[in-house]
């Protein structure tokens, strides 16, 4: 039995902790949300959500790449903070115009996800000699930071 004292305590906490009213999540599965593909044939490439099919599947299209419009499971995607202001099911021409007008590709390239993908791609394309030079540079940097000659 919850009496009036419980209501008073609950009421009291709402005023003591106004920060509880701030949202916990800010990245939602919504049209215009830019995502990184984590799995499948397009892994490592950015896509933009065009429409939702079910709670677990969305329709995506490539963001500045050659990925055609297709269905994809949400669990294959990593949501980024970048979002384009578009409606559900936009036509390709309208979507590309909105992406260009709102500088979505530029905003995405400034995110940590895009920078990490760029580093992964660079490291994957390194030759054996490049890895050797990187090792020598790291050793030299370590010596300088330790004050050794």
């Amino acid at each position: 039995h919850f009496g009036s004292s419980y209501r008073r305590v609950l009421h009291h906490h709402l005023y003591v902790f106004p920060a509880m009213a701030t949202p916990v999540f800010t990245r939602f599965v919504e049209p215009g949300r830019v995502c990184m593909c984590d799995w499948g044939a397009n892994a490592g490439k950015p896509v933009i959500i065009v429409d939702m099919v079910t709670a677990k599947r969305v329709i995506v299209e490539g963001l500045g790449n050659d990925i055609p419009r297709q269905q994809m499971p949400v669990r294959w995607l990593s949501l980024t903070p970048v979002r384009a202001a578009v409606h559900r099911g936009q036509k390709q021409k309208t979507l590309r115009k909105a992406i260009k007008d709102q500088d979505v590709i530029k905003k995405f390239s400034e995110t940590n996800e895009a920078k990490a993908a760029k580093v992964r791609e660079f490291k994957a394309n390194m030759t054996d000699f490049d890895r050797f030079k990187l090792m020598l540079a790291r050793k030299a940097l370590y010596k300088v930071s330790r004050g050794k000659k």
Side-chain angles (χ1 to χ4, degrees), residues 16-31:
V16 173
F17 302 109
M20 289 173 61
T22 58
V24 178
F25 300 107
T26 56
R27 298 179 186 186
F28 299 104
V29 177
E30 57 190 338

mmCIF file of all heavy atoms in Angstrom, residues 16-31:
data_model
loop_
_atom_site.group_PDB
_atom_site.id
_atom_site.type_symbol
_atom_site.label_atom_id
_atom_site.label_comp_id
_atom_site.label_asym_id
_atom_site.label_seq_id
_atom_site.Cartn_x
_atom_site.Cartn_y
_atom_site.Cartn_z
ATOM 1 N N VAL A 16 14.139 17.684 -6.681
ATOM 2 C CA VAL A 16 15.529 17.670 -6.220
ATOM 3 C C VAL A 16 16.477 17.321 -7.354
ATOM 4 O O VAL A 16 17.572 17.852 -7.444
ATOM 5 C CB VAL A 16 15.704 16.672 -5.049
ATOM 6 C CG1 VAL A 16 17.167 16.520 -4.679
ATOM 7 C CG2 VAL A 16 14.915 17.151 -3.852
ATOM 8 N N PHE A 17 16.037 16.439 -8.258
ATOM 9 C CA PHE A 17 16.898 15.974 -9.335
ATOM 10 C C PHE A 17 16.329 16.365 -10.698
ATOM 11 O O PHE A 17 15.821 15.515 -11.419
ATOM 12 C CB PHE A 17 17.067 14.460 -9.269
ATOM 13 C CG PHE A 17 17.628 13.973 -7.967
ATOM 14 C CD1 PHE A 17 16.834 13.278 -7.078
ATOM 15 C CD2 PHE A 17 18.942 14.229 -7.634
ATOM 16 C CE1 PHE A 17 17.342 12.828 -5.883
ATOM 17 C CE2 PHE A 17 19.464 13.785 -6.441
ATOM 18 C CZ PHE A 17 18.669 13.084 -5.556
ATOM 19 N N PRO A 18 16.406 17.627 -11.083
ATOM 20 C CA PRO A 18 15.856 17.999 -12.387
ATOM 21 C C PRO A 18 16.664 17.424 -13.550
ATOM 22 O O PRO A 18 16.176 17.338 -14.659
ATOM 23 C CB PRO A 18 15.912 19.524 -12.370
ATOM 24 C CG PRO A 18 16.965 19.855 -11.384
ATOM 25 C CD PRO A 18 16.948 18.762 -10.364
ATOM 26 N N ALA A 19 17.919 16.998 -13.291
ATOM 27 C CA ALA A 19 18.735 16.441 -14.365
ATOM 28 C C ALA A 19 18.194 15.101 -14.843
ATOM 29 O O ALA A 19 18.548 14.633 -15.916
ATOM 30 C CB ALA A 19 20.170 16.286 -13.888
ATOM 31 N N MET A 20 17.334 14.466 -14.056
ATOM 32 C CA MET A 20 16.756 13.191 -14.470
ATOM 33 C C MET A 20 15.847 13.360 -15.675
ATOM 34 O O MET A 20 15.531 12.398 -16.356
ATOM 35 C CB MET A 20 15.979 12.567 -13.303
ATOM 36 C CG MET A 20 16.880 12.066 -12.195
ATOM 37 S SD MET A 20 15.974 11.523 -10.749
ATOM 38 C CE MET A 20 14.990 10.208 -11.395
ATOM 39 N N ALA A 21 15.439 14.570 -15.956
ATOM 40 C CA ALA A 21 14.550 14.823 -17.081
ATOM 41 C C ALA A 21 15.304 14.871 -18.411
ATOM 42 O O ALA A 21 14.687 14.858 -19.458
ATOM 43 C CB ALA A 21 13.802 16.126 -16.865
ATOM 44 N N THR A 22 16.649 14.915 -18.390
ATOM 45 C CA THR A 22 17.415 14.949 -19.637
ATOM 46 C C THR A 22 17.369 13.572 -20.286
ATOM 47 O O THR A 22 17.353 12.553 -19.604
ATOM 48 C CB THR A 22 18.877 15.355 -19.371
ATOM 49 O OG1 THR A 22 19.450 14.426 -18.460
ATOM 50 C CG2 THR A 22 18.973 16.755 -18.837
ATOM 51 N N PRO A 23 17.351 13.510 -21.613
ATOM 52 C CA PRO A 23 17.237 12.218 -22.285
ATOM 53 C C PRO A 23 18.499 11.376 -22.110
ATOM 54 O O PRO A 23 19.613 11.896 -22.101
ATOM 55 C CB PRO A 23 17.029 12.599 -23.744
ATOM 56 C CG PRO A 23 17.564 13.967 -23.874
ATOM 57 C CD PRO A 23 17.381 14.623 -22.542
ATOM 58 N N VAL A 24 18.303 10.080 -21.995
ATOM 59 C CA VAL A 24 19.419 9.151 -21.839
ATOM 60 C C VAL A 24 20.061 8.889 -23.192
ATOM 61 O O VAL A 24 21.280 8.842 -23.318
ATOM 62 C CB VAL A 24 18.925 7.837 -21.200
ATOM 63 C CG1 VAL A 24 20.057 6.843 -21.086
ATOM 64 C CG2 VAL A 24 18.319 8.101 -19.843
ATOM 65 N N PHE A 25 19.251 8.715 -24.232
ATOM 66 C CA PHE A 25 19.758 8.437 -25.571
ATOM 67 C C PHE A 25 19.551 9.649 -26.468
ATOM 68 O O PHE A 25 18.546 10.346 -26.358
ATOM 69 C CB PHE A 25 19.043 7.240 -26.185
ATOM 70 C CG PHE A 25 19.217 5.979 -25.397
ATOM 71 C CD1 PHE A 25 18.178 5.470 -24.656
ATOM 72 C CD2 PHE A 25 20.432 5.311 -25.383
ATOM 73 C CE1 PHE A 25 18.327 4.317 -23.926
ATOM 74 C CE2 PHE A 25 20.605 4.163 -24.651
ATOM 75 C CZ PHE A 25 19.547 3.656 -23.920
ATOM 76 N N THR A 26 20.507 9.885 -27.351
ATOM 77 C CA THR A 26 20.379 10.979 -28.312
ATOM 78 C C THR A 26 20.484 10.474 -29.746
ATOM 79 O O THR A 26 20.168 11.204 -30.674
ATOM 80 C CB THR A 26 21.463 12.040 -28.072
ATOM 81 O OG1 THR A 26 22.744 11.411 -28.121
ATOM 82 C CG2 THR A 26 21.263 12.728 -26.731
ATOM 83 N N ARG A 27 20.940 9.243 -29.940
ATOM 84 C CA ARG A 27 21.057 8.678 -31.283
ATOM 85 C C ARG A 27 19.919 7.676 -31.481
ATOM 86 O O ARG A 27 19.888 6.616 -30.865
ATOM 87 C CB ARG A 27 22.399 7.971 -31.450
ATOM 88 C CG ARG A 27 23.578 8.904 -31.293
ATOM 89 C CD ARG A 27 24.869 8.167 -31.441
ATOM 90 N NE ARG A 27 25.995 9.045 -31.142
ATOM 91 C CZ ARG A 27 27.255 8.702 -31.292
ATOM 92 N NH1 ARG A 27 27.574 7.506 -31.725
ATOM 93 N NH2 ARG A 27 28.211 9.556 -31.002
ATOM 94 N N PHE A 28 18.996 8.028 -32.360
ATOM 95 C CA PHE A 28 17.834 7.189 -32.593
ATOM 96 C C PHE A 28 17.855 6.643 -34.018
ATOM 97 O O PHE A 28 18.436 7.258 -34.917
ATOM 98 C CB PHE A 28 16.542 7.984 -32.385
ATOM 99 C CG PHE A 28 16.393 8.528 -30.990
ATOM 100 C CD1 PHE A 28 16.622 9.862 -30.726
ATOM 101 C CD2 PHE A 28 16.042 7.686 -29.952
ATOM 102 C CE1 PHE A 28 16.494 10.364 -29.436
ATOM 103 C CE2 PHE A 28 15.910 8.163 -28.663
ATOM 104 C CZ PHE A 28 16.140 9.509 -28.404
ATOM 105 N N VAL A 29 17.209 5.510 -34.221
ATOM 106 C CA VAL A 29 17.021 4.963 -35.563
ATOM 107 C C VAL A 29 15.893 5.766 -36.184
ATOM 108 O O VAL A 29 14.733 5.600 -35.814
ATOM 109 C CB VAL A 29 16.677 3.459 -35.502
ATOM 110 C CG1 VAL A 29 16.415 2.924 -36.893
ATOM 111 C CG2 VAL A 29 17.797 2.689 -34.831
ATOM 112 N N GLU A 30 16.232 6.661 -37.094
ATOM 113 C CA GLU A 30 15.261 7.578 -37.688
ATOM 114 C C GLU A 30 15.709 7.953 -39.092
ATOM 115 O O GLU A 30 16.898 7.826 -39.413
ATOM 116 C CB GLU A 30 15.131 8.838 -36.814
ATOM 117 C CG GLU A 30 16.437 9.560 -36.602
ATOM 118 C CD GLU A 30 16.369 10.657 -35.558
ATOM 119 O OE1 GLU A 30 15.273 11.151 -35.294
ATOM 120 O OE2 GLU A 30 17.426 11.024 -35.032
ATOM 121 N N PRO A 31 14.796 8.378 -39.946
ATOM 122 C CA PRO A 31 15.187 8.780 -41.291
ATOM 123 C C PRO A 31 16.180 9.934 -41.249
ATOM 124 O O PRO A 31 16.026 10.878 -40.484
ATOM 125 C CB PRO A 31 13.870 9.237 -41.938
ATOM 126 C CG PRO A 31 12.816 8.563 -41.145
ATOM 127 C CD PRO A 31 13.352 8.444 -39.754
#
